[in-house]
Amino acid sequence: MLSTWDVKYELERSLAIKCPCIQYMLANTKIVQAALSKPKYLSRFFNPDSSSYLNILSTFAHQYTLDEEMGISDSTEIQYVINDCLLRPDNYVLKPQREGGGNNYFGEELVQKLKSIMNHSERKLYVLMERIQPYIFENSILNSTSASGELNVKKMVTELGIFGAILACKDEIFLNEFSGHLLRSKPLESNEGGIVAGYGCLDSPFLV
């Protein structure tokens, strides 16, 4: 039986248009995002003296790998952020190389997980990220769990995702443009925000 990566390898060898292709699939992983948040890696793609470089760098939350061998965070940086995380766990989130919600660690769970993996190779599978503190507002959610359509006003936070479409062949780009957005909201007390997993819900921006 072929593994997932074997299937992906066969697809990449074909003439089919891949969505996503392996480059963009890997670019979406936590480890690559952590690398691109570092000036030394981002400067490979953008001129450090350009405004684009500074603007992009400013959008990243601080992210750290937990093993120096990964070549992204050095031992001094790793030790500092671990010590700070153990003292102030609410300022961080521990993320594995997975998507879909329900996989991240927060608060005391983060502390316990961090302690359990630091002396094991499993630590290479995680990225420790500065926790984003979003704007808090009041809103209500209507879903299948709402009793008789009742709306309860709650404190909420939201996350805006911007979609892009790109069509390329090696170094030649045929299309690269904005293609929509996704706004999702969740109750303030919920750490996760996955819509399919039931943590968050679709929302609409209110332009003022």
Side-chain angles (χ1 to χ4, degrees):
M1 180 180 294
L2 293 176
S3 71
T4 301
W5 286 109
D6 288 332
V7 173
K8 187 62 179 173
Y9 176 70
E10 293 300 326
L11 287 173
E12 289 295 322
R13 295 176 62 201
S14 75
L15 296 178
I17 296 177
K18 275 71 70 174
C19 183
C21 64
I22 189 64
Q23 294 95 326
Y24 305 123
M25 184 176 178
L26 291 175
N28 192 50
T29 62
K30 303 291 190 304
I31 193 69
V32 173
Q33 292 170 15
L36 291 176
S37 71
K38 305 296 184 183
K40 67 177 180 179
Y41 289 106
L42 187 63
S43 62
R44 294 174 57 184
F45 304 97
F46 293 91
N47 183 346
D49 296 325
S50 69
S51 59
S52 296
Y53 171 84
L54 295 176
N55 288 337
I56 292 173
L57 192 61
S58 69
T59 66
F60 286 107
H62 294 139
Q63 300 176 65
Y64 311 89
T65 53
L66 300 177
D67 192 294
E68 190 176 12
E69 291 182 7
M70 307 296 287
I72 298 174
S73 302
D74 60 38
S75 58
T76 301
E77 186 178 44
I78 292 171
Q79 192 57 56
Y80 171 82
V81 73
I82 288 175
N83 291 340
D84 191 53
C85 180
L86 294 176
L87 289 173
R88 303 184 299 167
D90 289 340
N91 289 345
Y92 295 90
V93 53
L94 185 65
K95 295 186 171 186
Q97 301 297 319
R98 298 180 63 185
E99 296 291 343
N103 305 305
N104 300 330
Y105 293 87
F106 302 86
E108 186 57 31
E109 283 190 349
L110 187 163
V111 171
Q112 296 305 317
K113 185 64 178 179
L114 194 58
K115 289 180 177 179
S116 71
I117 65 175
M118 281 315 300
N119 295 322
H120 302 279
S121 60
E122 185 186 355
R123 67 184 182 275
K124 297 180 181 180
L125 303 178
Y126 290 85
V127 167
L128 189 60
M129 190 184 91
E130 172 190 21
R131 188 170 184 178
I132 298 172
Q133 305 295 341
Y135 175 75
I136 301 172
F137 61 97
E138 289 190 342
N139 206 340
S140 54
I141 296 179
L142 178 61
N143 56 24
S144 59
T145 63
S146 302
S148 303
E150 181 182 355
L151 295 178
N152 295 317
V153 176
K154 299 181 178 181
K155 290 185 177 181
M156 308 279 290
V157 292
T158 193
E159 177 182 314
L160 177 65
I162 303 298
F163 293 120
I166 185 167
L167 183 63
C169 182
K170 296 184 178 179
D171 293 333
E172 186 175 2
I173 298 177
F174 305 104
L175 173 75
N176 185 8
E177 61 184 36
F178 164 78
S179 60
H181 70 272
L182 174 69
L183 188 70
R184 59 183 181 182
S185 296
K186 64 176 183 178
L188 177 61
E189 65 271 14
S190 175
N191 285 324
E192 299 288 352
I195 294 173
V196 176
Y199 298 105
C201 63
L202 294 174
D203 207 339
S204 300
F206 180 64
L207 302 179
V208 294

